[in-house]
Amino acid sequence: MDRIVLSQPGPVLPPSTPEAADPQRGWDERPARKPLVVLIDPHPPHVEALQAVLGSHHRLRVHGSAEQAWASLQVDGEADAVIASLEQPRMSGLELVARLRKARSPSLRRIPIVLVANSIDDGLRSRIAREAVDFVAAWDRPL
């Protein structure tokens, strides 16, 4: 699976059916499928901020907890990327990452994951490195 760079607008994914492609022109007339990003954050202001940045170029599925997202991903397994808050009740963002990386489904194990924390210190950096998180961001400062 190719990695999705969330800061670039309008990612184009390969066509899903060959009928819409025009080989003589070298382009595809069908609109590109917007990547699905699963947002997991119990704080509405955080969700609203991420929706404002990502909403025009991505399909978004929002969950208020890591437990809800885990249950949903196990059922349909559909996601091109996950953005999760580190600090959550009951199941933390790191616990969700661990479950995804150990999932039975290969597609779940390969989902790119972005963790967003209120702040980042050296202890958190080492825990994140052990869990194979693809990118980390903090609300208090850009990284």
Side-chain angles (χ1 to χ4, degrees):
M1 171 192 273
D2 292 333
R3 297 290 183 195
I4 296 171
V5 178
L6 298 174
S7 62
Q8 292 182 349
V12 178
L13 299 177
S16 57
T17 60
E19 298 83 34
D22 184 349
Q24 292 178 343
R25 292 185 185 166
W27 55 276
D28 188 341
E29 294 180 12
R30 289 168 300 156
R33 179 183 76 85
K34 292 181 179 181
L36 175 63
V37 177
V38 176
L39 299 178
I40 309 158
D41 198 308
H43 308 291
H46 294 176
V47 172
E48 290 168 11
L50 291 168
Q51 286 175 321
V53 172
L54 301 171
S56 62
H57 298 291
H58 302 83
R59 293 177 296 141
L60 302 175
R61 181 178 300 150
V62 178
H63 295 284
S65 74
E67 289 174 324
Q68 290 173 350
W70 174 242
S72 174
L73 287 166
Q74 284 183 297
V75 171
D76 66 26
E78 182 188 5
D80 294 301
V82 169
I83 300 176
S85 172
L86 178 67
E87 297 89 4
Q88 298 193 42
R90 293 184 296 280
M91 181 193 301
S92 74
L94 278 175
E95 290 174 88
L96 176 64
V97 171
R99 287 185 185 195
L100 287 169
R101 295 301 185 229
K102 295 174 185 172
R104 276 188 257 145
S105 165
S107 63
L108 288 180
R109 289 193 306 265
R110 291 189 303 260
I111 293 174
I113 301 171
V114 177
L115 277 185
V116 182
N118 287 329
S119 63
I120 298 176
D121 59 26
D122 290 338
L124 179 57
R125 280 189 185 92
S126 65
R127 288 180 22 224
I128 288 169
R130 287 192 304 268
E131 294 297 340
V133 174
D134 296 294
F135 187 79
V136 180
W139 291 109
D140 66 345
R141 61 186 158 87
L143 297 176

